[in-house]
Amino acid sequence: VVYGILHSGLFAPLRDPPIFLSPILATPFSYLFSAFLDTLKTRVGVVLSLITFLIVGLVIPYPVLQYTQGRISIPNQFIETVNYLNEQKGEFTVLLLPFPVLGWYSASWYYGNVIFLYFLSHPVLAGGIYSGGELRNLTVKLNCLIYFNGSVKEIKELLLLFNVKYIVVECDAETRSFVTMVYLPTSNYVKALSRLHGLVTLVRNYTPFLIYKVNLNTSYVYETNGSLSDLKPVNFTIEGDEVVVKDVNAKYLLLTFAYSPYWTLNGKPGKDLDGFIEFDNVKGNIVIIDNLGQKLFFSYLLALAYLLALFLWFAFNRKILKSKN
């Protein structure tokens, strides 16, 4: 299983334990589906199938459809916040505070995965179960430095690394379930940001959403001497799965996406520098390519071929069984 996950996107779903059990669950359902197809050969079978469909598809879910507690009413202030951020030009990251280290995100009007992820056209740096990945330690460190009034120099360095141009504080965040209490109340974030004079500026107040602008020349691509504390922003453009950089002459070039061997320059992967991607001796006009999409596309073709072969194998066996009968 580990080998499959590391070497083929086809096996990636096996990282999720419930999906890992899906073959065991799928086996009895395949027999049930086959039996269902046989019932369609008679008029009674068709009627029974329609009744079953109505019960399973409409009658049973009806109480769930009527259950309103799971629904949310999105505040106008949230829409105003999203619209403002989406209108800002450039490639940058939005930092969302508070930053729960574990569990879902929790506010007075919703509880679950960070809802900003589904509305913003820019990447969101936020806490929770599914956030952080390879850069989790640094994201948590940035949150703690802000909350506990840590070193301004370190805060500045991390804001540069994550290309944070805007910070949103959601003041109606609240403690619920797995949300870690140490990062609440949100007033601590507001006080901490107000002390970062010159570094961040409050630009919009859509209570309970506060938008701060980071007054730094940040980028996703930097020239560096090999240290994360010495970063010089480089102009770049993102074109699909390519990062295009022109007229560069750097001993080291740092791409501040989470490290992946599929990001390559002239066919060669970069080095892993504390979770980011570093390329050596870069000159002229370059194109850094993400090859993961091509590999995943091949895996999808492989999966389709597997399903087609499985279907043909079942059809062939069914024909043989009929001939024997």
Side-chain angles (χ1 to χ4, degrees):
V1 172
V2 172
Y3 181 87
I5 291 172
L6 294 177
H7 292 82
S8 174
L10 178 62
F11 292 90
L14 297 183
R15 294 176 299 179
D16 193 337
I19 299 180
F20 181 77
L21 296 174
S22 61
I24 300 172
L25 300 173
T27 303
F29 276 103
S30 64
Y31 288 105
L32 288 173
F33 184 71
S34 179
F36 166 74
L37 292 178
D38 287 335
T39 63
L40 296 179
K41 295 177 181 178
T42 65
R43 185 176 298 177
V44 174
V46 172
V47 173
L48 288 175
S49 298
L50 288 173
I51 293 174
T52 303
F53 172 78
L54 289 172
I55 293 174
V56 174
L58 297 176
V59 177
I60 294 177
Y62 182 76
V64 178
L65 297 174
Q66 293 296 107
Y67 185 64
T68 58
Q69 186 174 343
R71 302 178 186 178
I72 63 172
S73 178
I74 298 178
N76 290 330
Q77 298 92 321
F78 173 80
I79 301 299
E80 290 176 314
T81 300
V82 167
N83 287 340
Y84 176 82
L85 293 170
N86 286 343
E87 289 170 358
Q88 308 309 309
K89 305 300 181 181
E91 301 286 351
F92 59 83
T93 300
V94 176
L95 172 63
L96 179 63
L97 301 173
F99 198 100
V101 177
L102 297 172
W104 297 108
Y105 200 83
S106 175
S108 61
W109 54 286
Y110 86 98
Y111 174 70
N113 202 17
V114 179
I115 200 169
F116 277 89
L117 294 170
Y118 308 107
F119 285 82
L120 282 184
S121 58
H122 301 283
V124 181
L125 198 63
I129 294 176
Y130 299 115
S131 70
E134 295 297 325
L135 305 173
R136 180 181 178 84
N137 290 338
L138 289 178
T139 57
V140 172
K141 180 180 180 180
L142 174 59
N143 173 68
C144 292
L145 285 169
I146 294 175
Y147 189 87
F148 296 111
N149 297 307
S151 165
V152 176
K153 180 177 180 293
E154 287 186 283
I155 292 174
K156 180 179 177 180
E157 289 175 355
L158 289 174
L159 291 174
L160 281 169
L161 277 172
F162 289 119
N163 190 18
V164 176
K165 287 285 178 66
Y166 290 91
I167 301 173
V168 176
V169 179
E170 186 166 359
C171 295
D172 66 339
E174 58 185 31
T175 301
R176 196 188 304 180
S177 187
F178 297 113
V179 179
T180 309
M181 290 184 65
V182 70
Y183 303 121
L184 298 171
T186 54
S187 58
N188 288 33
Y189 286 102
V190 176
K191 292 177 182 177
L193 291 174
S194 66
R195 296 189 185 99
L196 299 176
H197 299 296
L199 185 58
V200 296
T201 305
L202 179 65
V203 291
R204 287 292 186 277
N205 183 348
Y206 300 121
T207 305
F209 302 96
L210 304 179
I211 305 177
Y212 295 83
K213 184 177 181 180
V214 178
N215 302 313
L216 291 172
N217 183 18
T218 65
S219 176
Y220 283 125
V221 186
Y222 294 96
E223 291 183 12
T224 175
N225 60 6
S227 170
L228 295 180
S229 61
D230 177 40
L231 302 175
K232 180 182 177 182
V234 174
N235 292 327
F236 70 96
T237 57
I238 296 179
E239 301 174 4
D241 56 1
E242 298 178 349
V243 176
V244 180
V245 184
K246 296 182 178 180
D247 299 324
V248 63
N249 185 6
K251 184 177 181 181
Y252 300 104
L253 193 74
L254 186 70
L255 182 64
T256 61
F257 297 158
Y259 176 78
S260 164
Y262 298 110
W263 284 102
T264 62
L265 177 59
N266 298 326
K268 298 180 180 179
K271 298 178 181 178
D272 184 349
L273 180 63
D274 290 344
F276 299 106
I277 309 163
E278 182 187 76
F279 298 97
D280 298 344
N281 299 316
V282 180
K283 296 181 180 180
N285 300 330
I286 65 164
V287 179
I288 304 172
I289 302 174
D290 181 12
N291 296 285
L292 180 60
Q294 297 178 7
K295 185 174 178 63
L296 289 177
F297 181 71
F298 176 76
S299 293
Y300 295 146
L301 290 179
L302 199 65
L304 289 175
Y306 167 76
L307 292 174
L308 179 61
L310 196 63
F311 173 79
L312 293 174
W313 184 80
F314 274 113
F316 177 74
N317 278 274
R318 188 180 181 89
K319 188 175 183 179
I320 291 177
L321 287 174
K322 280 187 175 181
S323 63
K324 286 184 178 182
N325 289 335

